[in-house]
Amino acid sequence: MGLELLFVFVIVVIGGFIQGASGFGFGLVAMGFLPLFLTLKESTLIVIALLFVASLSIVRKMYQYIELKGLLLIILPAMAGRVFSFFILTAYGDMDVLKQVLGFFLIGMVIYLLLKKKASPSAEMKLVTPLVLGFLGGFIGGIFAVGGPFFVFYFLMLYQDKYKYNANLQVTVVITSLFTLLLHGLNGDFDVSLFGYILAGILGVFLGTALGLKWFENLPAAFIKNLAMIMVLLAAINLILFS
């Protein structure tokens, strides 16, 4: 148990650093490794709880850049996606086969993020864009805790200012994560053993995001992106081969 807690702490620090420096990536890193010794359901609940803490710590320092108008269009469909994901994770979250599904999904996400062109801000975004991206981000995030890239794409299109992009992205993660935690909490899905991992991870979250935020202005985005993708790819291969 002690080694597992230390492992969680290290992974959370790395994921928190990437989250703080780039706006997303915590879920990708953490979900690449935690399912190696926990069920998918346990891993998702731990990561969502820590995502809530990580994003909240970032929002506290960037709250002045929050814009409610841009948030509402993506949060509402994201919440709908979280409701659907709640039923799927509750019913099938203990099945090991979902770890392999997660592995293949992570590999697909890595390929997508490496190959896609950077989204360009647009003042004439079609209404269907935030509806689709919000639902997918909420749904995938509620099952695998890796819905961030869908929200990233939306806010990159919406804002040129990187502070507005990061602040509103983190608020979206905070609200959707809290909603998911409430659903599973009311359903009695939090086992006492999970709180040990969550408590161990909270310190790592604060340390990682604080370091990441310090590098937010100076660290090359490409370096952060490539580091995260390499880690996620290796973890995904482990999930497929050893789950």
Side-chain angles (χ1 to χ4, degrees):
M1 183 71 173
L3 287 177
E4 289 181 353
L5 290 176
L6 178 61
F7 180 75
V8 170
F9 176 79
V10 173
I11 293 302
V12 166
V13 169
I14 295 172
F17 175 81
I18 292 170
Q19 182 87 7
S22 64
F24 82 108
F26 177 83
L28 286 170
V29 173
M31 286 302 291
F33 291 93
L34 294 190
L36 293 174
F37 60 92
L38 297 169
T39 68
L40 178 74
K41 183 177 179 180
E42 291 171 335
S43 300
T44 297
L45 293 179
I46 291 171
V47 171
I48 289 178
L50 294 177
L51 263 173
F52 172 77
V53 175
S55 295
L56 188 62
S57 68
I58 296 173
V59 169
R60 285 176 55 247
K61 299 180 180 180
M62 294 188 171
Y63 64 88
Q64 66 268 35
Y65 298 101
I66 296 172
E67 293 188 350
L68 294 178
K69 183 179 178 180
L71 284 172
L72 291 176
L73 283 176
I74 194 144
I75 284 179
L76 293 178
M79 301 281 265
R82 287 299 169 104
V83 172
F84 282 94
S85 67
F86 164 75
F87 291 107
I88 293 179
L89 188 65
T90 299
Y92 306 109
D94 293 327
M95 297 176 62
D96 284 340
V97 68
L98 279 185
K99 294 182 181 180
Q100 295 179 330
V101 173
L102 171 60
F104 284 110
F105 182 83
L106 288 175
I107 290 176
M109 187 65 73
V110 168
I111 294 173
Y112 167 75
L113 290 173
L114 290 177
L115 294 182
K116 82 176 183 68
K117 297 180 180 179
K118 184 177 180 181
S120 57
S122 173
E124 298 181 357
M125 187 188 305
K126 294 182 179 179
L127 179 60
V128 69
T129 301
L131 295 180
V132 172
L133 292 177
F135 181 83
L136 289 176
F139 182 72
I140 298 299
I143 299 177
F144 297 130
V146 291
F150 297 99
F151 300 140
V152 167
F153 192 73
Y154 168 72
F155 286 113
L156 281 176
M157 287 192 293
L158 194 62
Y159 298 118
Q160 289 180 306
D161 187 306
K162 67 178 181 180
Y163 293 98
K164 288 184 179 181
Y165 147 76
N166 203 2
N168 289 279
L169 171 62
Q170 302 311 319
V171 171
T172 303
V173 175
V174 166
I175 294 174
T176 54
S177 296
L178 180 60
F179 183 60
T180 296
L181 294 174
L182 288 173
L183 287 175
H184 286 283
L186 292 173
N187 198 50
D189 292 334
F190 280 95
D191 189 89
V192 176
S193 62
L194 296 184
F195 289 102
Y197 294 110
I198 293 173
L199 290 175
I202 287 176
L203 179 59
V205 162
F206 283 122
L207 177 60
T209 53
L211 292 173
L213 282 170
K214 285 187 176 181
W215 285 94
F216 180 60
E217 295 187 16
N218 301 316
L219 197 66
F223 174 80
I224 288 291
K225 178 181 176 181
N226 291 334
L227 174 63
M229 295 307 100
I230 290 172
M231 290 187 61
V232 172
L233 185 61
L234 292 175
I237 293 172
N238 277 333
L239 285 171
I240 294 170
L241 296 179
F242 301 111
S243 295

